Amino acid sequence: MTQEDAPLGEFDLIRRFFTDIGAARSDVELGVGDDAALLRMPSGADLVAAVDTIVAGRHFPDGSDPRSIGHRALAVNLSDLAAMGATPAWATLALTLPSVDAGWLERFSRGLSDLAGAHRVALVGGDTTAGHLTVSVQILGHVERGTALRRSGGCAGDLLLVTGTLGDAGAGLALVRASHTTGDAAAAAALIQRFEYPSPRVEFGIAMRGIATAAMDLSDGLAGDLPKLASASGLAAHVDIERLPLSAALSAVTDLQQARDWALGAGDDYELLLAVPPRNCEKAVSIAARLNLRLSAIGELRPGGGVTWALNGRESAPPGQGFDHFRRASTQITV
Ligand code: ADP
Ligand code: MG
């Protein structure tokens, strides 16, 4: 048996796949290898922490490319930090594996490592156990004290802006599962890419400090997420459905109604939803342009409570009436 074929012990596995992952950072006093990591916080900063778990068969289809699983596990966490306007720095990984497969681990580790490197995040620790495939990443970062974006800061009259396009990941997942089909192979590939490799809007989130009054990331779909921002801000929200940003790829694979349903209800887009006072909108637009990021105004915050929806100026039924988290297009189950 060659070294390559020998069964990997836990120690070898950690050394081979999870040591020196992501950026080398001078604020990591001690990373993988001891009982805990030692990290140096910049002075005058708040520590920002978030954790998200993705489970095979729930948050991604069984048999998904492990490179995508590694990417998504970190991306969903980076997206949470983006929504706070925080700078990500360190991550820990709790990995539960049904078996040790070196080829699988290699691709998983590459997906994680490429995205970590791109955002200057260092993997500083973790835990490895046997069981149903479950990936839990904790992200740690920092934000200058007093400047973090929250869901609760919105003001009546603020415009609601969203980055990128909505509904692509929902369509991508439906295509992966073959519950939706199309003859347009290029559009299908682009949409599947959006599901498998979400792009957390970290730079834009950081730049929105002092410009947006409130922010959150869209993981569960606008129809599910917007009420959370509105109620945290103690306000009503209004959305004009015809202003939802839809990609050319999405429009190429389906009709407008289905595209809007995915945009509102499918989730997994990991775009940012922001409340921005009209006086700051020009700044937000120019920052988005500099980052090559689409930014669309879709509605506004108003006095009162609840969310209203209109289509071409006519009040519309709340999208996703009878919308059921356990039957939605996304694999994400919110409990
Ligand atoms: P302990 O038993 O003290 O918790 P472990 O033997 O589980 O330590 O882990 C040894 C070291 O390897 C620790 O620094 C831990 O953070 C790190 N580690 C374990 N699993 C992973 C993983 N999947 N990814 C990154 N680091 C890991
Ligand atoms: Mg220990």
Side-chain angles (χ1 to χ4, degrees):
M1 211 189 263
T2 66
Q3 189 91 41
E4 283 294 292
D5 298 331
L8 275 173
E10 188 185 325
F11 175 79
D12 296 324
L13 180 156
I14 295 164
R15 189 172 46 82
R16 188 163 150 197
F17 300 109
F18 300 115
T19 304
D20 298 328
I21 293 292
R25 296 182 61 103
S26 59
D27 54 11
V28 178
E29 171 68 14
L30 191 58
V32 169
D34 211 305
D35 289 310
L38 293 174
L39 310 167
R40 298 220 165 115
M41 281 283 291
S43 62
D46 283 330
L47 174 66
V48 185
V51 63
D52 250 316
T53 298
I54 59 174
V55 178
R58 289 210 175 179
H59 303 91
F60 56 90
D62 285 309
S64 293
D65 183 344
R67 190 164 76 86
S68 153
I69 300 170
H71 177 105
R72 286 189 86 234
L74 179 60
V76 300
N77 282 284
L78 288 171
S79 180
D80 282 326
L81 256 65
M84 303 299 292
T87 303
W90 315 291
T92 59
L93 165 69
L95 182 59
T96 305
L97 292 170
S99 61
V100 174
D101 171 340
W104 191 98
L105 280 160
E106 184 77 56
R107 285 189 70 74
F108 173 84
S109 161
R110 175 139 42 100
L112 184 71
S113 152
D114 287 350
L115 187 65
H119 288 276
R120 295 207 54 253
V121 167
L123 184 69
V124 296
D127 190 32
T128 310
T129 51
H132 184 74
L133 178 59
T134 304
V135 187
S136 209
V137 170
Q138 181 186 47
I139 189 88
L140 300 166
H142 43 76
V143 64
E144 189 189 327
R145 197 153 296 157
T147 67
L149 296 170
R150 304 176 188 210
R151 295 179 179 182
S152 57
C155 300
D158 287 353
L159 296 186
L160 291 169
L161 307 183
V162 289
T163 59
T165 53
L166 303 181
D168 297 338
L173 179 60
L175 289 161
V176 167
R177 289 169 151 181
S179 59
H180 185 82
T181 53
T182 174
D184 190 331
L191 295 167
I192 291 171
Q193 173 84 10
R194 289 268 289 153
F195 173 74
E196 292 186 330
Y197 297 93
S199 305
R201 307 304 187 185
V202 177
E203 250 188 298
F204 188 69
I206 293 168
M208 284 302 101
R209 291 175 306 140
I211 292 177
T213 55
M216 71 182 298
D217 71 320
L218 294 172
S219 52
D220 292 340
L222 187 69
D225 285 332
L226 175 57
K228 298 175 193 167
L229 186 142
S231 93
S233 291
L235 292 168
H238 177 82
V239 171
D240 295 312
I241 291 172
E242 70 279 6
R243 297 164 87 184
L244 297 176
L246 306 175
S247 69
L250 182 59
S251 302
V253 304
T254 193
D255 58 46
L256 193 52
Q257 167 126 26
Q258 172 71 80
R260 285 175 174 156
D261 282 354
W262 274 324
L264 289 165
D268 297 324
D269 282 319
Y270 299 102
E271 295 295 349
L272 293 182
L273 168 67
L274 306 122
V276 176
R279 66 178 182 283
N280 289 346
C281 278
E282 212 172 299
K283 272 188 233 159
V285 166
S286 77
I287 292 167
R290 178 165 57 75
L291 295 175
N292 224 347
L293 188 58
R294 187 163 162 183
L295 188 65
S296 310
I298 57 165
E300 63 181 16
L301 291 176
R302 295 176 173 174
V307 179
T308 54
W309 306 85
L311 182 58
N312 302 321
R314 299 178 60 167
E315 182 123 345
S316 164
Q321 239 181 10
F323 172 89
D324 181 341
H325 274 292
F326 291 89
R327 290 179 46 229
R328 49 201 288 243
S330 165
T331 43
Q332 261 196 6
I333 295 174
T334 305
V335 284

